[in-house]
Every structure is written in C-alpha cells, then in structure tokens.
Amino acid sequence: MPTTANGWGVESPTDAIHQITCERRDLKPEDVRITISHCGICHSDLHFAHDDWGMSHYPMIPGHEIVGVVEEVGSAVSSFAKGDRVAVGCMVDSCQNCEFCDGGEEQFCVEGSTFTYGVPDRHGGISQGGYSDHIVVRQEFVCRVPDALDMAHAAPLLCAGITTYSPLKRWGVKEGQKVAVIGMGGLGNMAVKLAKALGAEVTVISRSNDKEAAAKAAGASELLVSTDEEAMGAAAGRFHLILDTIPVGHSVDSYTPLLRPYGTLVLVGAPEPIPEVSGGTLIFGNRAVAGTMIGGVNETQEMLDFCAEHGVTPDIEVIKGSEIAKAWDTLAAGDMPHRYVIDIASS
C-alpha cells in the first residue's frame, strides 16, 4: 500500500516552507523504502522552491542529500536488506537502457534522469525529496554509507561531495598540482578538502579575506583576494584547475588568466549566463572553460568510499525541521563555509 510521508515543503514559488505531507508509492519489485535520518540543505533547494529555473512542480518537498536506513525492500532487490545504512543523491530514476545509463552516467540519460524532487516522475506523480521521514527509490539509485562515515556528515556528500569530486577526478587532479577554488560556501568547503586529499596544493579565491580562517582550516594553503589586482596579477598562470563554485551568474574573465597553459576553469555552481569570456586569454594559453554537473551513481559510491578512506567530511551545522526557514534565509544571504543538515529523525 502507498504510505504517507511527513515533511517540510512549499506549495508555490512564493510559499514559506512549512510542514506538509506527500504520498510515497507502494514498493515495486526493484524498490527500496528508506527511513530518512538526515538530509542536507543545498542552495539548489532554494532555487527549485522559488522556481528560479522555470522547471519546478508543486507541491514540493525538497532535499537531495539523503541518508538513512533501509526499512523494506521489493521482491527483486538483492543488493540491500533491512537495516543497511544507505544514501540517495540528486537522482532517483532513469531509463536504465540508453548508452549513458549503461555507462554509469545516469545524469545524462537520453530520456532524462528523474531528479529527486520537484519534477514529474516515471510513475505518474511528482518526485518528492528528503526533507521528509521516508522515501521510496529504485535500488539502482541507492548507495551504501560506509561505516566510517557519520550519517549527519555523510548527507552533504550526496550533492556537494559528488559535485566537486567528479570534476577533480575527470581533470585528473593529482599530487603536486595546484588547484584553486572560487568561493568558500558548502561546495567550496568540500572542493578544498577533496583536492587536498588527492594531493593538490589548494588556494581559495574570495572577494575578501573574511573566509581565510575557514579556507585554511579546510586545508587550503592560502586565500587569494579577487579584488586585489596586484595579487591576482602575481597569480597569473599558476593553476592547473580552477573550480568555480559561485552559485549565481558572473564573469569568469578575471579568473581565466590564473590558469596554466592547458588549464581548465570548471563551473560547478551557476547555470545562469556567463558573460565576458576573452577568447584571446583562452586561445593563447590553450585554456578552457568547462561545466560539470553531478556524477553517476557508481561515481557517487566511489566518492563515498574515498571520503571514508581519507577521513574527508564536510563542515556542518545540524538543525531541526523547525529551523529550515531560518537556514534558507541565511543561505540566501551569502556563502557559508559549512552545510546545514536537517536531523530528520529528531524532528
């Protein structure tokens, strides 16, 4: 039988977040029902809730940084059992038949992957996320949480972790290389820690030195102030890779000269238009500007295992469900060098 999930959500783009319910489908043979213990808060939750990208459906329960315990499995599930510590990220379904799904890159599913919340699902409803007490997900989109990871700290890894791990791996970051991270919010915090764990020397780039202590605590060797023209000029040609985590549209033209020849600046935070890219700066250094989304499910599991092995966890602040609205306001006001995580089980 379908079940009713209790959670927190919105019913229109202008609605304040409040307690609401949604219906979870009855278990299909390939499904896993998960009792959610924690869910991280991502800046994308605000964008989706406010329909900033013109693709949201309501009512909506946000949340795609989900961890919990398996409560029940469908008849065809063999990979998970009741009591397993598990996680769900930004996707909950895909066609499972195209070249990208077969290649472990479900995020590029030809028919379109199903986001964890706020979009039509493949069962005739609207997907609803992890700001709720339980969720039903097909087994292919469930990851295991290694025993070495605390559940609350594991939650943000399902978005902030994979969003930054995937480009670091794709562009082959390794020991001895120099990596810069623009922005010291939740994504920036994870990017610094992961790049450091891969052996890179990491610099944080920020508009002021206010985040210097947080940057160095995360593992950065220095903070470069982007408004300091002399310091930016001295850093020209230094970095193999720059991860740009700024969550809104902005010019990257002041950052591309910091790349070494053949270096790449990778956008991970802003799908809005990016103005003022100088072709000469790119051409005369064989530099590139690229974008990256999340990784597939297999890469997400790889990231969780890597974080467990290397002791990489995000800086977090655990809150109750009643504090989500305040957390959203704080997040909307600017970057924070940590991630909010909702203690669902205690809320």
Side-chain angles (χ1 to χ4, degrees), residues 186-204:
L187 285 177
N189 177 266
M190 280 306 308
V192 171
K193 292 185 175 187
L194 287 166
K196 179 73 172 178
L198 287 166
E201 179 185 311
V202 188
T203 296
V204 168

Side-chain angles (χ1 to χ4, degrees), residues 35-118:
T35 299
I36 299 171
S37 65
H38 298 83
C39 184
I41 294 179
C42 176
H43 206 283
S44 298
D45 298 344
L46 282 69
H47 286 302
F48 261 91
H50 300 149
D51 199 21
D52 290 339
W53 298 329
M55 59 188 297
S56 300
H57 292 73
Y58 302 90
M60 178 196 301
I61 294 178
H64 57 208
E65 298 180 341
I66 303 166
V67 294
V69 175
V70 174
E71 179 63 30
E72 188 178 359
V73 299
S75 60
V77 174
S78 58
S79 301
F80 301 97
K82 183 175 181 178
D84 286 349
R85 289 161 31 103
V86 294
V88 177
C90 301
M91 303 175 288
V92 291
D93 211 346
S94 69
C95 78
Q96 294 291 290
N97 294 312
C98 70
E99 60 175 305
F100 296 109
C101 290
D102 288 343
E105 294 186 316
E106 300 89 350
Q107 70 273 28
F108 303 129
C109 175
V110 171
E111 294 184 8
S113 58
T114 301
F115 294 155
T116 305
Y117 66 85

Side-chain angles (χ1 to χ4, degrees), residues 146-341:
D147 290 341
L149 291 178
D150 168 75
M151 293 292 265
H153 283 87
L157 298 178
L158 277 300
C159 180
I162 187 60
T163 297
T164 51
Y165 179 84
S166 188
L168 291 170
K169 291 289 288 187
R170 177 175 175 79
W171 274 274
V173 170
K174 59 186 178 182
E175 187 170 356
Q177 290 190 330
K178 298 181 186 297
V179 172
V181 176
I182 306 174
M184 194 56 194
L187 285 177
N189 177 266
M190 280 306 308
V192 171
K193 292 185 175 187
L194 287 166
K196 179 73 172 178
L198 287 166
E201 179 185 311
V202 188
T203 296
V204 168
I205 303 175
S206 187
R207 291 169 293 182
S208 72
N209 60 9
D210 292 349
K211 302 284 182 67
E212 184 172 11
K216 290 186 174 180
S221 59
E222 64 173 332
L223 184 140
L224 176 62
V225 178
S226 61
T227 54
D228 185 335
E229 293 184 8
E230 183 177 348
M232 290 287 281
R238 180 185 299 177
F239 302 109
H240 295 84
L241 182 73
I242 299 175
L243 286 189
D244 185 343
T245 73
I246 298 173
V248 295
H250 61 283
S251 172
V252 300
D253 221 33
S254 61
Y255 302 114
T256 52
L258 305 181
L259 292 166
R260 291 165 54 93
Y262 298 98
T264 303
L265 183 148
V266 184
L267 300 166
V268 300
E272 290 88 356
I274 302 296
E276 302 176 23
V277 179
S278 170
T281 302
L282 303 182
I283 291 169
F284 291 108
N286 281 33
R287 302 177 176 100
V289 175
T292 180
M293 196 168 59
I294 52 173
V297 179
N298 289 341
E299 189 173 48
T300 302
Q301 185 66 65
E302 177 186 312
M303 175 274 305
L304 289 169
D305 294 339
F306 178 89
C307 289
E309 179 182 353
H310 294 272
V312 176
T313 57
D315 296 329
I316 64 172
E317 180 179 344
V318 179
I319 64 172
K320 299 291 181 66
S322 59
E323 300 173 282
I324 297 173
K326 182 179 178 182
W328 277 18
D329 289 342
T330 303
L331 190 58
D335 282 347
M336 297 169 29
H338 66 267
R339 205 78 161 180
Y340 284 116
V341 176

